[in-house]
Amino acid sequence: AVVSTQSTGDPGQAAQVLDLDQDGRVDVREYVVTMALFLHWYKTTEMDFPKLQSKIHAMRKRYESLSTGTLGEVIRSFSKLLVTDSLIDNIATIIMCDNEGRLTFPEFLSVYKFWEEMESALLEVQHTSESDI
């Protein structure tokens, strides 16, 4: 999908929204994470930076409320499923992540999107299986 960069809001606001780590510049990783989340949340390619800014702000507050911000704490903070330590270790291995270190905000958003899509697929499979019985 091609994302339209035509949006409501000014270019300065767009740069501010895309600058996830707030270092004054937007790198490729921040752009990719933000665009992927926008498509995931809003199911459209027409960018609305004011709307996205509000959602990113809410996610940043959620991120800042975590005490350690490790992979396990992040996943457990939004998971609907029971998450064991061994599952977290396996996920950390798959995504080559240090489970003891604090995730950066862009990493937090990436893990959020990954987990939400995986969990949604698992719950859909489980629901389909139960309805077949």
Side-chain angles (χ1 to χ4, degrees), residues 20-38:
L20 297 175
D21 60 12
Q22 300 176 328
D23 65 355
R25 62 184 176 84
V26 177
D27 61 35
V28 172
R29 180 181 61 149
E30 290 169 316
Y31 178 81
V32 169
V33 167
T34 307
M35 294 301 112
L37 278 171
F38 185 84

Side-chain angles (χ1 to χ4, degrees), residues 3 5 12 15 27 32 41 53 77 85 88 119:
V3 175
T5 55
D27 61 35
V32 169
W41 285 329
Q53 184 174 32
S77 75
D85 289 340
I88 294 298
E119 187 174 69

Side-chain angles (χ1 to χ4, degrees), residues 64-124:
E64 289 170 352
S65 73
L66 298 173
S67 61
T68 63
T70 62
L71 180 65
E73 185 182 24
V74 165
I75 290 175
R76 286 182 180 105
S77 75
F78 45 70
S79 179
K80 296 177 187 103
L81 303 171
L82 176 64
V83 182
T84 64
D85 289 340
S86 75
L87 177 59
I88 294 298
D89 289 341
N90 288 335
I91 292 169
T93 301
I94 290 168
I95 62 176
M96 295 186 291
C97 171
D98 171 16
N99 186 29
E100 301 304 315
R102 182 172 178 81
L103 298 178
T104 65
F105 185 57
E107 290 169 336
F108 167 81
L109 292 174
S110 297
V111 169
Y112 170 84
K113 182 179 181 297
F114 159 79
W115 188 262
E116 193 171 78
E117 288 181 346
M118 187 199 67
E119 187 174 69
S120 174
L122 285 173
L123 292 173
E124 186 175 308

Side-chain angles (χ1 to χ4, degrees), residues 2-72:
V2 175
V3 175
S4 171
T5 55
Q6 297 297 317
S7 67
T8 57
D10 64 64
Q13 183 180 28
Q16 184 181 11
V17 173
L18 294 171
D19 185 12
L20 297 175
D21 60 12
Q22 300 176 328
D23 65 355
R25 62 184 176 84
V26 177
D27 61 35
V28 172
R29 180 181 61 149
E30 290 169 316
Y31 178 81
V32 169
V33 167
T34 307
M35 294 301 112
L37 278 171
F38 185 84
L39 290 170
H40 174 70
W41 285 329
Y42 302 113
K43 312 296 188 241
T44 181
T45 59
E46 295 298 317
M47 290 303 297
D48 182 338
F49 285 103
K51 189 176 188 179
L52 180 60
Q53 184 174 32
S54 176
K55 184 75 170 178
I56 294 288
H57 179 71
M59 293 300 291
R60 187 176 302 279
K61 287 176 81 172
R62 189 177 196 173
Y63 168 74
E64 289 170 352
S65 73
L66 298 173
S67 61
T68 63
T70 62
L71 180 65

